[in-house]
Protein backbone atom coordinates (compact mmCIF):
# COMPACT_ATOMS: atom_id res chain seq x y z
CA UNK A 1 0.00 0.00 0.00
CA UNK A 2 2.98 2.31 0.53
CA UNK A 3 3.64 5.09 2.99
CA UNK A 4 0.60 7.08 4.10
CA UNK A 5 1.63 10.74 4.14
CA UNK A 6 0.01 12.24 7.24
CA UNK A 7 1.91 15.51 7.64
CA UNK A 8 2.79 18.58 5.60
CA UNK A 9 4.87 21.71 6.26
CA UNK A 10 4.55 24.84 4.16
CA UNK A 11 7.95 25.67 2.62
CA UNK A 12 8.28 29.07 4.31
CA UNK A 13 7.12 27.66 7.65
CA UNK A 14 3.81 29.55 7.69
CA UNK A 15 1.70 26.48 8.44
CA UNK A 16 1.72 22.76 9.10
CA UNK A 17 -0.90 20.04 8.71
CA UNK A 18 -1.15 16.70 10.42
CA UNK A 19 -3.60 13.84 10.14
CA UNK A 20 -1.82 11.53 12.55
CA UNK A 21 -4.56 11.09 15.09
CA UNK A 22 -2.97 10.51 18.50
CA UNK A 23 -0.15 7.96 18.08
CA UNK A 24 1.09 6.82 21.49
CA UNK A 25 2.38 3.88 23.50
CA UNK A 26 -0.63 3.52 25.80
CA UNK A 27 -1.39 4.79 29.31
CA UNK A 28 0.54 2.00 31.08
CA UNK A 29 3.75 3.11 29.40
CA UNK A 30 3.41 6.77 30.36
CA UNK A 31 2.57 6.17 34.04
CA UNK A 32 5.21 3.47 34.58
CA UNK A 33 7.98 4.40 36.99
CA UNK A 34 10.57 3.25 34.45
CA UNK A 35 9.31 5.65 31.76
CA UNK A 36 9.03 8.53 34.20
CA UNK A 37 12.50 7.98 35.66
CA UNK A 38 14.10 7.72 32.21
CA UNK A 39 12.29 10.83 30.99
CA UNK A 40 13.16 12.88 34.06
CA UNK A 41 16.73 11.61 34.47
CA UNK A 42 18.40 14.74 33.12
CA UNK A 43 16.23 17.52 34.48
CA UNK A 44 18.38 20.19 36.17
CA UNK A 45 15.60 22.80 35.97
CA UNK A 46 13.08 20.43 37.58
CA UNK A 47 10.54 20.54 34.79
CA UNK A 48 7.23 18.80 35.64
CA UNK A 49 6.09 15.48 34.18
CA UNK A 50 2.57 15.81 32.81
CA UNK A 51 0.34 13.13 31.29
CA UNK A 52 -2.01 14.02 28.43
CA UNK A 53 -4.98 11.72 27.81
CA UNK A 54 -7.56 11.39 25.04
CA UNK A 55 -9.53 8.16 24.99
CA UNK A 56 -11.75 6.79 22.25
CA UNK A 57 -14.72 6.69 24.63
CA UNK A 58 -15.77 8.34 27.87
CA UNK A 59 -15.30 5.02 29.67
CA UNK A 60 -11.77 4.86 28.27
CA UNK A 61 -11.00 8.36 29.62
CA UNK A 62 -12.44 7.55 33.05
CA UNK A 63 -10.39 4.33 33.23
CA UNK A 64 -7.19 6.24 32.41
CA UNK A 65 -7.90 8.81 35.12
CA UNK A 66 -8.52 5.99 37.61
CA UNK A 67 -5.24 4.33 36.62
CA UNK A 68 -3.32 7.59 37.09
CA UNK A 69 -5.02 8.03 40.47
CA UNK A 70 -3.93 4.55 41.54
CA UNK A 71 -0.32 5.20 40.53
CA UNK A 72 -0.25 8.47 42.50
CA UNK A 73 -2.01 6.99 45.55
CA UNK A 74 0.26 3.96 45.71
CA UNK A 75 3.42 6.03 45.31
CA UNK A 76 3.15 9.51 46.89
CA UNK A 77 6.70 10.26 45.69
CA UNK A 78 5.86 9.70 42.03
CA UNK A 79 6.65 12.55 39.65
CA UNK A 80 3.32 12.94 37.83
CA UNK A 81 2.71 16.66 38.31
CA UNK A 82 -0.57 17.08 36.41
CA UNK A 83 -2.92 15.58 33.83
CA UNK A 84 -4.27 17.24 30.69
CA UNK A 85 -7.58 15.91 29.39
CA UNK A 86 -8.05 16.54 25.68
CA UNK A 87 -11.57 17.82 24.94
CA UNK A 88 -10.55 18.75 21.40
CA UNK A 89 -10.82 15.24 19.93
CA UNK A 90 -13.87 13.08 19.16
CA UNK A 91 -15.10 10.92 22.03
CA UNK A 92 -17.90 9.01 20.34
CA UNK A 93 -17.82 7.78 16.74
CA UNK A 94 -20.27 9.81 14.70
CA UNK A 95 -20.47 12.58 17.30
CA UNK A 96 -18.71 15.96 17.14
CA UNK A 97 -15.52 16.79 19.01
CA UNK A 98 -16.31 16.91 22.74
CA UNK A 99 -15.53 20.61 23.01
CA UNK A 100 -18.01 21.41 20.22
CA UNK A 101 -20.83 19.22 21.55
CA UNK A 102 -21.74 21.14 24.68
CA UNK A 103 -24.29 18.59 25.90
CA UNK A 104 -21.64 15.88 25.66
CA UNK A 105 -19.03 18.18 27.21
CA UNK A 106 -21.35 18.83 30.18
CA UNK A 107 -21.81 15.09 30.74
CA UNK A 108 -18.11 14.30 30.35
CA UNK A 109 -17.02 16.94 32.85
CA UNK A 110 -19.71 15.88 35.33
CA UNK A 111 -18.55 12.25 35.23
CA UNK A 112 -14.91 13.25 35.54
CA UNK A 113 -15.72 15.41 38.56
CA UNK A 114 -17.51 12.50 40.23
CA UNK A 115 -14.37 10.34 40.31
CA UNK A 116 -12.96 9.69 43.82
CA UNK A 117 -9.70 11.47 42.94
CA UNK A 118 -11.66 14.73 42.59
CA UNK A 119 -14.41 14.24 45.19
CA UNK A 120 -12.38 15.18 48.27
CA UNK A 121 -11.64 18.65 49.63
CA UNK A 122 -8.58 18.79 47.37
CA UNK A 123 -8.04 17.06 43.99
CA UNK A 124 -5.48 14.25 44.05
CA UNK A 125 -3.68 15.94 41.13
CA UNK A 126 -4.04 19.15 39.09
CA UNK A 127 -6.27 18.70 36.04
CA UNK A 128 -6.19 20.73 32.85
CA UNK A 129 -8.21 20.50 29.64
CA UNK A 130 -7.24 21.09 26.02
CA UNK A 131 -9.89 23.05 24.11
CA UNK A 132 -10.65 23.25 20.41
CA UNK A 133 -10.68 26.67 18.75
CA UNK A 134 -13.94 28.60 19.04
CA UNK A 135 -15.11 31.24 16.58
CA UNK A 136 -18.47 32.53 17.88
CA UNK A 137 -18.88 34.41 21.15
CA UNK A 138 -21.84 32.24 22.28
CA UNK A 139 -19.64 29.15 21.93
CA UNK A 140 -16.93 30.72 24.07
CA UNK A 141 -19.58 31.50 26.68
CA UNK A 142 -21.09 28.00 26.65
CA UNK A 143 -17.70 26.31 26.99
CA UNK A 144 -16.63 28.66 29.80
CA UNK A 145 -19.91 28.17 31.67
CA UNK A 146 -19.38 24.40 31.70
CA UNK A 147 -15.76 24.65 32.83
CA UNK A 148 -16.58 27.21 35.52
CA UNK A 149 -18.94 24.69 37.15
CA UNK A 150 -15.86 22.55 37.81
CA UNK A 151 -13.46 25.24 38.98
CA UNK A 152 -12.87 23.25 42.17
CA UNK A 153 -11.04 20.53 40.20
CA UNK A 154 -9.90 22.37 37.07
CA UNK A 155 -6.53 24.10 37.24
CA UNK A 156 -6.19 25.33 33.65
CA UNK A 157 -7.62 25.35 30.13
CA UNK A 158 -5.18 25.13 27.21
CA UNK A 159 -6.35 26.96 24.11
CA UNK A 160 -6.17 26.07 21.23
CA UNK A 161 -5.83 22.65 19.65
CA UNK A 162 -5.36 22.47 15.88
CA UNK A 163 -7.98 23.98 13.57
CA UNK A 164 -9.64 20.92 12.08
CA UNK A 165 -10.41 19.98 8.49
CA UNK A 166 -7.83 22.18 6.81
CA UNK A 167 -6.65 21.27 3.31
CA UNK A 168 -3.36 21.95 1.51
CA UNK A 169 -3.24 21.41 -2.24
CA UNK A 170 -0.18 20.31 -4.19
CA UNK A 171 -0.63 22.41 -7.35
CA UNK A 172 2.05 20.54 -9.28
CA UNK A 173 0.50 17.12 -8.79
CA UNK A 174 -3.02 18.62 -8.56
CA UNK A 175 -3.83 16.61 -5.46
CA UNK A 176 -3.99 17.03 -1.65
CA UNK A 177 -0.62 17.47 0.04
CA UNK A 178 -1.61 14.93 2.70
CA UNK A 179 -2.63 11.43 1.69
CA UNK A 180 -4.51 10.38 4.82
CA UNK A 181 -8.17 11.24 5.41
CA UNK A 182 -8.72 12.60 1.91
CA UNK A 183 -6.19 15.35 2.60
CA UNK A 184 -8.14 16.92 5.46
CA UNK A 185 -5.99 17.56 8.51
CA UNK A 186 -5.43 19.73 11.57
CA UNK A 187 -3.89 23.13 10.88
CA UNK A 188 -1.13 24.39 13.17
CA UNK A 189 1.89 26.69 13.17
CA UNK A 190 2.03 30.48 12.64
CA UNK A 191 -1.15 30.43 10.53
CA UNK A 192 -3.28 29.73 13.63
CA UNK A 193 -1.68 32.24 16.01
CA UNK A 194 -4.25 34.97 15.53
CA UNK A 195 -7.13 32.59 16.18
CA UNK A 196 -5.25 31.33 19.24
CA UNK A 197 -4.70 34.84 20.59
CA UNK A 198 -8.42 35.59 20.32
CA UNK A 199 -9.30 32.32 22.06
CA UNK A 200 -6.84 32.98 24.88
CA UNK A 201 -8.16 36.49 25.45
CA UNK A 202 -11.83 35.53 25.38
CA UNK A 203 -11.32 32.52 27.62
CA UNK A 204 -9.41 34.66 30.09
CA UNK A 205 -12.33 37.10 30.14
CA UNK A 206 -14.93 34.34 30.67
CA UNK A 207 -13.27 31.73 32.89
CA UNK A 208 -13.20 31.97 36.67
CA UNK A 209 -9.97 33.49 37.97
CA UNK A 210 -9.07 30.18 39.63
CA UNK A 211 -8.78 28.56 36.20
CA UNK A 212 -5.60 29.55 34.39
CA UNK A 213 -5.43 29.85 30.61
CA UNK A 214 -2.51 28.29 28.76
CA UNK A 215 -1.87 29.69 25.28
CA UNK A 216 -1.18 27.29 22.41
CA UNK A 217 -1.09 27.76 18.68
CA UNK A 218 1.62 29.29 16.53
CA UNK A 219 4.13 30.05 19.29
CA UNK A 220 7.49 30.18 17.51
CA UNK A 221 9.30 33.05 19.21
CA UNK A 222 9.63 35.04 22.39
CA UNK A 223 7.40 37.72 20.84
CA UNK A 224 4.67 35.12 20.22
CA UNK A 225 4.86 34.08 23.88
CA UNK A 226 4.80 37.76 24.92
CA UNK A 227 1.63 38.35 22.90
CA UNK A 228 -0.05 35.27 24.39
CA UNK A 229 0.73 36.50 27.90
CA UNK A 230 -0.49 40.00 27.11
CA UNK A 231 -3.81 38.34 26.26
CA UNK A 232 -3.85 36.62 29.65
CA UNK A 233 -2.02 33.32 29.24
CA UNK A 234 -0.39 32.00 32.40
CA UNK A 235 1.95 29.87 30.28
CA UNK A 236 2.33 28.75 26.67
CA UNK A 237 2.59 25.42 24.90
CA UNK A 238 4.87 24.88 21.91
CA UNK A 239 4.03 22.08 19.47
CA UNK A 240 4.72 22.70 15.79
CA UNK A 241 7.95 24.61 16.45
CA UNK A 242 9.25 21.71 18.54
CA UNK A 243 8.20 19.40 15.73
CA UNK A 244 10.21 21.30 13.12
CA UNK A 245 13.10 22.73 15.20
CA UNK A 246 13.53 20.26 18.02
CA UNK A 247 13.78 20.80 21.80
CA UNK A 248 16.34 23.60 21.47
CA UNK A 249 13.42 25.87 20.59
CA UNK A 250 12.34 26.05 24.25
CA UNK A 251 15.50 27.77 25.51
CA UNK A 252 15.55 30.06 22.45
CA UNK A 253 11.95 31.20 22.98
CA UNK A 254 12.55 31.72 26.71
CA UNK A 255 15.70 33.75 26.03
CA UNK A 256 13.87 35.89 23.47
CA UNK A 257 11.07 36.53 25.96
CA UNK A 258 13.56 37.58 28.62
CA UNK A 259 15.19 40.00 26.16
CA UNK A 260 11.79 41.57 25.34
CA UNK A 261 11.01 41.96 29.04
CA UNK A 262 14.39 43.56 29.73
CA UNK A 263 14.01 45.95 26.79
CA UNK A 264 10.59 47.06 28.04
CA UNK A 265 11.54 47.25 31.71
CA UNK A 266 9.43 44.31 32.92
CA UNK A 267 10.88 42.50 35.92
CA UNK A 268 8.21 39.78 35.92
CA UNK A 269 5.63 38.37 33.54
CA UNK A 270 3.03 39.55 36.05
CA UNK A 271 3.96 43.11 35.05
CA UNK A 272 2.29 42.63 31.66
CA UNK A 273 0.24 39.42 31.76
CA UNK A 274 -3.39 40.10 30.85
CA UNK A 275 -2.73 43.82 30.41
CA UNK A 276 -3.45 44.17 26.70
CA UNK A 277 -4.29 47.83 26.20
CA UNK A 278 -7.34 49.19 24.40
CA UNK A 279 -6.75 50.35 20.84
CA UNK A 280 -5.87 54.07 20.66
CA UNK A 281 -4.77 56.58 18.04
CA UNK A 282 -1.62 57.33 20.02
CA UNK A 283 -0.75 53.66 20.19
CA UNK A 284 -1.39 53.16 16.46
CA UNK A 285 0.77 56.17 15.59
CA UNK A 286 3.58 54.90 17.81
CA UNK A 287 3.42 51.47 16.15
CA UNK A 288 3.38 52.89 12.62
CA UNK A 289 6.33 55.15 13.36
CA UNK A 290 8.28 52.19 14.73
CA UNK A 291 7.55 50.13 11.61
CA UNK A 292 8.59 52.95 9.29
CA UNK A 293 11.80 53.51 11.26
CA UNK A 294 12.60 49.80 11.23
CA UNK A 295 12.00 49.61 7.49
CA UNK A 296 14.21 52.63 6.84
CA UNK A 297 16.95 51.23 9.06
CA UNK A 298 16.81 47.92 7.25
CA UNK A 299 17.20 49.70 3.92
CA UNK A 300 20.12 51.69 5.29
CA UNK A 301 21.83 48.55 6.53
CA UNK A 302 21.55 47.01 3.07
CA UNK A 303 23.06 50.12 1.42
CA UNK A 304 25.86 50.35 3.97
CA UNK A 305 26.86 46.72 3.40
CA UNK A 306 27.32 47.50 -0.30
CA UNK A 307 30.21 49.93 0.27
CA UNK A 308 30.35 53.59 -0.80
CA UNK A 309 30.25 56.65 1.41
CA UNK A 310 29.15 55.17 4.73
CA UNK A 311 28.85 58.50 6.57
CA UNK A 312 26.77 60.04 3.81
CA UNK A 313 24.56 56.97 3.57
CA UNK A 314 23.96 56.94 7.32
CA UNK A 315 23.08 60.64 7.28
CA UNK A 316 20.61 60.06 4.44
CA UNK A 317 19.02 57.17 6.32
CA UNK A 318 18.71 59.28 9.48
CA UNK A 319 17.04 62.10 7.55
CA UNK A 320 14.69 59.62 5.88
CA UNK A 321 13.73 58.14 9.26
CA UNK A 322 13.02 61.58 10.73
CA UNK A 323 10.89 62.61 7.76
CA UNK A 324 9.01 59.32 7.91
CA UNK A 325 8.24 59.69 11.61
CA UNK A 326 7.11 63.31 11.15
CA UNK A 327 4.91 62.30 8.21
CA UNK A 328 3.25 59.52 10.22
CA UNK A 329 2.57 61.75 13.21
CA UNK A 330 1.13 64.55 11.05
CA UNK A 331 -0.99 62.11 9.07
CA UNK A 332 -2.40 60.65 12.27
CA UNK A 333 -3.05 64.04 13.85
CA UNK A 334 -4.90 65.49 10.89
CA UNK A 335 -6.27 62.12 9.71
CA UNK A 336 -4.90 62.81 6.21
CA UNK A 337 -3.96 59.23 5.38
CA UNK A 338 -3.77 55.84 7.05
CA UNK A 339 -0.53 53.92 6.57
Amino acid sequence: MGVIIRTWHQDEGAASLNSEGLPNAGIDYYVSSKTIEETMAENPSNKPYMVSISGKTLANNLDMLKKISSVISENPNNKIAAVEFNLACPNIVGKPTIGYDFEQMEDVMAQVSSLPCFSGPKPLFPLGVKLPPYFDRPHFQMAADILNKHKNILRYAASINTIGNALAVDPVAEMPAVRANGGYAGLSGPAVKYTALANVRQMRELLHEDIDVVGAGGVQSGMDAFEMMLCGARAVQVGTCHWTEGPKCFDRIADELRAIMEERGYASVDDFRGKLKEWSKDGAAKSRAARVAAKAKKGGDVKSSGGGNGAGANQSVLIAILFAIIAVLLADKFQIVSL
Side-chain angles (χ1 to χ4, degrees):
M1 184 175 180
V3 177
I4 298 178
I5 305 301
R6 296 183 178 275
T7 62
W8 170 85
H9 298 291
Q10 197 266 345
D11 289 341
E12 284 75 39
S16 292
L17 293 180
N18 88 83
S19 185
E20 293 188 297
L22 293 169
N24 66 90
I27 187 64
D28 290 332
Y29 172 80
Y30 295 106
V31 300
S32 72
S33 57
K34 181 176 184 294
T35 299
I36 296 174
E37 290 301 326
E38 289 177 352
T39 303
M40 305 295 282
E42 296 183 12
N43 186 22
S45 56
N46 198 31
K47 295 177 181 178
Y49 185 90
M50 300 175 67
V51 179
S52 176
I53 65 170
S54 181
K56 293 182 178 179
T57 65
L58 173 57
N60 192 197
N61 284 316
L62 296 177
D63 286 343
M64 287 192 286
L65 288 169
K66 291 174 184 177
K67 183 177 289 290
I68 294 169
S69 300
S70 296
V71 170
I72 293 175
S73 298
E74 293 169 6
N75 180 13
N77 295 320
N78 80 91
K79 296 181 180 179
I80 298 177
V83 175
E84 182 171 291
F85 179 23
N86 192 342
L87 298 178
C89 287
N91 188 55
I92 299 174
V93 176
K95 296 274 284 183
T97 294
I98 303 172
Y100 288 146
D101 183 348
F102 297 110
E103 183 177 344
Q104 183 187 176
M105 183 175 172
E106 182 98 54
D107 178 56
V108 167
M109 289 305 301
Q111 294 203 47
V112 168
S113 294
S114 68
L115 292 174
C117 57
F118 298 123
S119 60
K122 181 181 179 181
L124 185 61
F125 52 83
L127 178 69
V129 292
K130 172 64 71 65
L131 296 175
Y134 296 109
F135 302 95
D136 292 333
R137 181 69 177 189
H139 293 164
F140 285 103
Q141 187 69 63
M142 286 187 281
D145 287 346
I146 293 171
L147 298 181
N148 284 337
K149 292 178 184 178
H150 304 282
K151 63 181 184 295
N152 59 314
I153 71 162
L154 196 58
R155 179 63 185 274
Y156 73 86
S159 182
I160 59 173
N161 197 32
T162 57
I163 298 178
N165 287 303
L167 178 68
V169 171
D170 181 338
V172 176
E174 301 181 11
M175 67 180 190
V178 173
R179 178 179 178 182
N181 196 32
Y184 299 108
L187 176 66
S188 63
V192 308
K193 188 183 82 168
Y194 304 101
T195 297
L197 288 170
N199 274 255
V200 166
R201 189 183 186 195
Q202 296 213 52
M203 278 300 171
R204 183 61 282 155
E205 291 172 354
L206 295 171
L207 288 174
H208 190 277
E209 61 181 9
D210 289 344
I211 303 175
D212 289 330
V213 176
V214 174
V219 177
Q220 304 252 54
S221 67
M223 185 59 74
D224 294 332
F226 178 73
E227 292 175 9
M228 286 283 189
M229 292 179 177
L230 271 179
C231 290
R234 172 66 59 176
V236 300
Q237 292 181 352
V238 180
T240 300
C241 187
H242 174 256
W243 187 14
T244 57
E245 183 180 334
K248 66 179 182 293
C249 70
F250 298 120
D251 285 339
R252 176 183 59 77
I253 292 171
D255 289 342
E256 290 172 2
L257 178 59
R258 290 189 193 97
I260 292 168
M261 292 172 58
E262 183 177 348
E263 179 185 352
R264 301 183 182 214
Y266 293 129
S268 165
V269 292
D270 290 328
D271 293 341
F272 62 88
R273 180 191 287 117
K275 297 179 181 178
L276 186 68
K277 300 172 183 176
E278 293 292 328
W279 188 94
S280 68
K281 289 176 61 179
D282 289 344
K286 178 181 178 181
S287 182
R288 287 196 296 268
R291 291 198 300 271
V292 170
K295 186 176 181 180
K297 182 179 184 301
K298 183 178 180 181
D301 289 343
V302 171
K303 290 180 181 179
S304 296
S305 65
N309 188 343
N314 289 337
Q315 185 177 17
S316 297
V317 170
L318 180 59
I319 293 172
I321 292 173
L322 292 174
F323 272 119
I325 294 174
I326 292 170
V328 169
L329 294 176
L330 288 175
D332 183 76
K333 180 176 181 179
F334 295 105
Q335 298 183 351
I336 298 172
V337 65
S338 178
L339 295 180

